[in-house]
């Protein structure tokens, strides 16, 4: 168990952990900022909803009672809170990209074989590859899974807190969908950019579904944002805009592609050098 903890800390780094701790402290502190718009919530789930709502209201109070800015800043704090999981997910995705060719070879080895023994061996050999590379194939789902309860709590907070439900932000009524579709379009656009950057940074050896995600996921976000309250759309815009900046610094696809091209050129030069050496050796034998 201790080895796993050390491995996780080594992968994510202390800076991201310190940032996450600072974000958690800020979120908790804002929840205790006195405000006149707080509501009493009952039950365990109600307590979670109340905590989120009071934290947003606390941030909003320090922003001149602007609930829109409160949601944006709260969203950024949530992103900083899950930063270690994001770094861990990106690290695992990079390692996944490296072992993908090996996994494909194993899959080709058992192609067309559907008997129990073959399927068991396929699973064992694939798991062995992941284990040796220190890869968790499900790590990329962590940031998505952790945000689902956040979305639920945010939805409940807006729908059950009068100040947030009736609050306005520029042209928006936070409890109603964006009438001009600006936020849904921005949410989909930022989702596409971050997804494309993430996919591009992983190289060419990726499963087909991974290459298709940058073109599918934005439409899911777009149509979802059209139906939900502006508060949730605002959350999606802020979180996906943050994701774009984060992806650029942590996965820089332009740098990754340049490095991949340099490797391909180096491999090509190596093969040319080998071919030239063999050609000279052949001429000497003659």
């Amino acid at each position: 168990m201790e080895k796993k903890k050390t491995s996780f800390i080594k992968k994510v780094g202390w800076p991201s952990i310190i940032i996450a701790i600072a974000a958690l402290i800020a979120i908790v502190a804002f929840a205790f900022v006195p405000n006149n718009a707080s509501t009493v919530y009952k039950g365990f789930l109600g307590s979670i909803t109340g905590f989120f709502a009071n934290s947003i209201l606390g941030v909003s109070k320090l922003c001149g009672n602007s609930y829109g800015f409160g949601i944006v800043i709260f969203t950024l704090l949530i992103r900083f809170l899950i930063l270690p999981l994001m770094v861990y997910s990106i690290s695992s995705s990079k390692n996944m990209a490296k072992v993908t060719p090996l996994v494909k070879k194993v899959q080709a080895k058992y192609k067309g074989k559907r008997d129990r023994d073959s399927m068991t061996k396929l699973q064992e050999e694939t798991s062995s590859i992941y284990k040796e590379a220190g890869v968790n194939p499900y790590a990329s789902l962590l940031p998505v899974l952790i945000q689902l309860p956040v979305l639920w709590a945010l939805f409940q907070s807006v729908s059950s807190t009068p100040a947030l439900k009736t609050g306005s932000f520029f042209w928006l009524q936070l409890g109603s969908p964006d009438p001009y579709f600006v936020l849904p379009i921005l949410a989909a656009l930022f989702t596409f950019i971050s997804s494309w950057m993430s996919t591009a940074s992983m190289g060419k050896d990726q499963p087909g579904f991974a290459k298709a995600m940058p073109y599918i996921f934005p439409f899911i976000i777009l149509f979802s944002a059209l139906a939900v309250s502006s508060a949730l759309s605002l959350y999606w815009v802020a979180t996906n805009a943050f994701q774009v900046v984060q992806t650029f610094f942590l996965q820089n696809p332009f740098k990754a592609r340049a490095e991949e091209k340099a490797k391909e050129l180096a491999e090509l030069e190596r093969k040319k050098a080998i071919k030239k050496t063999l050609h000279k050796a052949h001429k000497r034998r003659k």
Side-chain angles (χ1 to χ4, degrees):
M1 183 65 71
E2 190 63 29
K3 186 177 180 181
K4 289 184 179 180
K5 289 182 180 179
T6 303
S7 177
F8 178 80
I9 292 173
K10 187 176 180 181
K11 281 185 177 181
V12 305
W14 277 109
S16 65
I17 293 176
I18 292 171
I19 290 172
I21 293 172
L24 178 60
I25 292 172
I27 291 171
V28 173
F30 283 128
F32 289 96
V33 172
N35 62 80
N36 297 323
S38 60
T39 306
V40 177
Y41 303 87
K42 297 180 180 180
F44 174 73
L45 294 179
S47 298
I48 297 175
T49 299
F51 174 78
F52 270 64
N54 287 326
S55 187
I56 293 171
L57 292 171
V59 177
S60 302
K61 186 174 182 179
L62 299 180
C63 294
N65 288 322
S66 173
Y67 301 120
F69 281 121
I71 291 172
V72 170
I73 294 174
F74 179 80
T75 300
L76 296 181
L77 289 173
I78 291 292
R79 294 297 308 195
F80 285 127
L81 178 62
I82 65 173
L83 183 59
L85 291 178
M86 292 300 302
V87 175
Y88 178 73
S89 174
I90 290 169
S91 175
S92 294
S93 296
K94 287 180 179 179
N95 290 333
M96 278 285 289
K98 291 178 182 178
V99 302
T100 296
L102 298 176
V103 174
K104 285 183 176 180
K105 285 183 180 179
V106 173
Q107 291 172 342
K109 179 180 174 182
Y110 294 98
K111 187 177 181 181
K113 299 179 181 179
R114 290 289 179 264
D115 58 282
R116 182 174 295 179
D117 289 341
S118 297
M119 297 302 291
T120 301
K121 289 178 181 178
L122 171 61
Q123 187 176 6
E124 288 176 351
E125 291 182 30
T126 302
S127 299
S128 179
I129 291 172
Y130 289 147
K131 188 175 180 180
E132 289 178 11
V135 173
N136 183 349
Y138 304 106
S140 59
L141 298 176
L142 285 174
V144 177
L145 293 176
I146 202 68
Q147 287 192 74
L148 291 178
V150 173
L151 283 170
W152 173 85
L154 184 59
F155 173 78
Q156 291 294 326
S157 299
V158 173
S159 60
S160 58
T161 306
L164 295 177
K165 190 176 182 179
T166 60
S168 60
F169 184 61
F170 293 108
W171 70 93
L172 304 167
Q173 289 295 320
L174 294 176
S176 305
D178 182 352
Y180 303 114
F181 315 127
V182 175
L183 291 185
I185 292 172
L186 286 177
L189 178 63
F190 285 133
T191 300
F192 170 75
I193 295 172
S194 64
S195 299
W196 177 86
M197 290 172 68
S198 180
T199 303
S201 69
M202 295 303 171
K204 299 175 182 177
D205 293 322
Q206 296 183 71
F209 74 88
K211 295 179 181 178
M213 283 308 292
Y215 305 98
I216 297 174
F217 200 46
F219 284 101
I220 297 175
I221 292 294
L222 173 64
F223 291 113
S224 298
L226 288 172
V228 299
S229 65
S230 295
L232 285 181
S233 297
L234 190 59
Y235 171 85
W236 274 328
V237 170
T239 196
N240 289 323
F242 183 95
Q243 180 78 9
V244 170
V245 177
Q246 177 182 268
T247 303
F248 179 80
F249 283 104
L250 296 181
Q251 293 177 269
N252 197 328
F254 309 106
K255 182 181 177 181
R257 285 193 166 185
E259 290 175 351
E260 186 177 10
K261 191 172 182 180
K263 286 181 181 179
E264 290 176 354
L265 290 174
E267 180 64 18
L268 185 62
E269 290 297 324
R270 188 183 69 84
K271 289 180 178 179
K272 284 183 178 180
I274 293 173
K275 188 176 180 181
K276 188 176 181 181
T277 302
L278 292 174
H279 181 69
K280 287 181 178 179
H282 182 69
K283 286 181 70 176
R284 281 197 297 267
R285 283 196 298 268
K286 285 185 176 181

